Amino acid sequence: MAATLQLNPRVLATVEDLSLVAQTIVEGFLDGLHRSPFLGYSTEFSTYRPYTQGDNPRHIDWKVWGRSDKLYVKQFEEYTNLRGEIFLDTSASMDFGTGEANKFDYGRVLAAALAYLMVRQNDAAGLVLFNEKSVRAVPARAHRHNADDIFQALSKATAGGATAIDSSLLGQVQELDRRGLAIVISDFFAPEETAFDLLRALQIQRQETVAFQILAPEEIELGYAGEVLFEDAESGLQLPVMAEAARTDYRDRLESFCGRLRQECVRLEVDYQRLRTDQPLDYALVSYLEHRAALAA
Amino acid sequence: MGPFSFTNPAFLGGLAALSVPILIHLLLKRRRLKVRFSTLRFFEAADQRARQRRRLRQWLLLALRLLAVALLVVAFARPFRSDSAPGGPARRERRVALILDRSASLNARDSGGPRFERALAEARGRLGKLEVNDRAALIEAGSPARVLAPLSPPAAILQRLVKLEPGFGAADLGDALRQADGLLAGATRDETNEVWLVSDLQRNSCVSVPVQSLRRDAGLRIYAVGDAAAPNVAVTELHCGTGLGAVSRVTLTSFAEALIAGRLRVRLDGQVILDQPVSLGPGSVTNLPLSLTNVAPGWHGAEARLEAEDSLVLDNTRYAAFYATAPKRVLVLEPRKNVRPFQEETLFLAKALNPAGTGEGVANAAFVVDKCGPEDLASRLRAAGGRLSVVMLPGLRQLPPGSSLLLGEFVRHGGGLLLFVGEGLSALEYDRELADLLPARLGAVDRETRPGWRLQEFDPGSPIFAAFQTPEGGNLALPEFTRRFLLVEEPGSAVLARFTDAVPAVLARQVGHGKVLLVNTSADTTWSDWPKHRSFVPWMHGLTDFLSSGTGAEAKGNLAQAGVDAGEETELEGFAPGRALKLRDGTAEVPARADAAGQCLLPATLRPGLWSVVDEGGRELRRLAVNPPVVESDLAAMSAQEFEESVRRREAEAEAGGLVSRPGGGRKDYSGLLLASLLGLLVAELALANRTLS
């Protein structure tokens, strides 16, 4: 995998125009996927590209070969009915992380990039924002301007409130009556592990699901010193903690939780990706493309 | 074993330092970072235990630190227990060195009454509590301190206090501590050493306290008398200048923090010469000029008395004694006749000695200048009859007939002769007629076009150049000389100054009891511009004094101002060896005697006032002003705590029968054990503080 994201999402997150951010990330990402077979084929001619081993010989433009003695294959804009639904966690726990790319900003950029990628491939992209209540911010439509709606919705979204995987959100899931792709972007810090219910519901609805767990480096490493008074972002509860003394137990518990989440994902055949906010978005985009390819097949 | 006692109980005050660890504990408790975190679900169980352990550790650390500070403080206080068996004689005999401040400041009157009475009452009260077997010594804190009574039964010291009165001098509490320290050496194991200080702790008395050291086993008890704020004003200087241009003044100083009004009267020989109201601001120094006119030659006494409401009356009066010298008579020979005064050749000489004019009737003049023509010189010399001090001759074309013999006789009998050279002077005649007087033989006239010669070196030890020892005295290198005589020095003469090319400029010769001074230039400005320079006048005064010193005329310049501080032994000089003397001040008479060197030792007990030193026949030889030391006027005092902190402590030397050197004797010191425990505590604290809780 030679793909690398050239632009840092932290920097991009400072750009207010999410469409520009998403476009920059995706185009840069696709440039990195040089001659990759991930791009689909459709009936509408799009452009030429040099032939590579593995390309279907049916797509070779023999006229060009006749003129230039070089092999080019035609690329076509793909027509698809694939539906991709992005579930973005907007609870207060996502509004964490120092620096310019906290978890929520990172999630928004990821959602925007995925939405752009979907629309670019003529998939029907939709957006559901959930915290204490869930909102279908943008219904999934296979329209080339749908990405703009998603960008606007993401731009207006703010983080706050508690995470609630309840009937409101599950109702949104039940509306997914077709097989499609579901992308959940969250830290999954829902009470009593109800976040698993969301994954189960998606699996029941026959959705090819990708779970992106967004974590900030500070909450993974707990790199504080001395006595720290932690305040729960969602409940407001305060807890004085000796950081050095609590670090080991904290990490164990966090990893244990992530482990259970991973196991549940394996059991539900959900692709689980843990993302740090200081990492590039490559893994997330590649994971999306792999699942999209699987669905297309 | 007896009960616990402390060698340095004052150190127990350091227990206040226990508040430091508590404050640190409280401050650290409040310093914690507040962070808004995504979720607390991964903390709770783990941190609850850590918090409990940490809280326990913090309390343990606080307890350890408090214990460490307490151990350190108690160790410094040197706890000990007597070896005496229970039921045995628990009390140890006390050896007390009582330092009683009798300085002039103890004459002050405070809100509670006279300061010295309070000091005596304090001393009596403390001594009265001593047991019969205890011993006490009495030290007077003078300058220097004196042991009034060695270690004696308390009753004897009480008796010694009965007739004590405050003194008039300064106190040196540091020296008093040194004396007390020496008295308390050699205590046995059944004795305790104590130093009691009864004083007003005036700051000026405590200057030398940090220099001295007191044995550590001596307890120091301070009984401070006197108000914290005692307003005081004083006459701090009374200066009576004699002679032309001298300044006389009285200086009033306020040591109060508020305005004090009063009235100042100054008397000279009993006559009021100044009487005026004064108003002295806080901390102010006021100089008031005095006018002394027509002061007759001889000894005089002045008294400045300030009537004001303040704490210390003693320093409101100051005395001054001074000797007014009689003016010296100088005869100046003026060769030019029928000329206007400013054309006279000796104009500059006469004006330099007395610018007010010539003859009698010039008030406070140092010199009386007379002028005469060459033809009158002989008659003036004959008529002088020993009253004439100096004769000054400008360069004469011709010496008056017979004058050389008269001048020689005048000089040999102690007179002073000043000779200038000049235009038309006959070197041959001078060398022949004044051969017995001239310090050098005159040669040819030497001329130099401008720039001329200048004075390059002069004898700094000569009295004629004494005025030029100070930077303000003038610059002798500025005068320029264009003509002079080439000279051949006579044996026995001394060159006091030379020109830049080493030719003598000023020469002196002792002839009989008198002196002759030859100045190798003219008396006017024809051969040099020296008379126009500011150095001319002081030089003329110096050389006239020099020339007149052999005449037996008044030679008491070093006694002109005579004053000493009360309370100090002072030596007066200039008396006949072994001469019996008396000191009188009008009411009292103190016998004295000059030693083999002619010095008379004045006792420290002289009270402030004007004293006369008289011989056996009652003739006044000199007068003396005795005043309280100025430092006693500033009543600013230390606090007892401040004083105690300034006293350096030292371990008592190993001494026979002493407390420290006695092997295993007397008492058991626990400070070592405490310090060892402290070390253990610190190690435990270190281990606990650096332990990381999981």
Side-chain angles (χ1 to χ4, degrees), chain B residues 168-170 318 563-570 603-604 606 625-631:
Chain B
F168 309 107
R318 195 161 190 86
V564 297
D565 281 344
E568 292 182 6
E569 291 184 340
T570 311
L606 287 182
V626 179
N627 291 296
V630 173
V631 292

Side-chain angles (χ1 to χ4, degrees), chain B residues 120-137:
Chain B
L120 279 182
E122 191 73 51
R124 288 193 196 102
R126 301 294 164 182
L127 286 169
K129 291 177 183 173
L130 290 177
E131 300 287 333
V132 178
N133 292 336
D134 295 334
R135 290 290 178 270

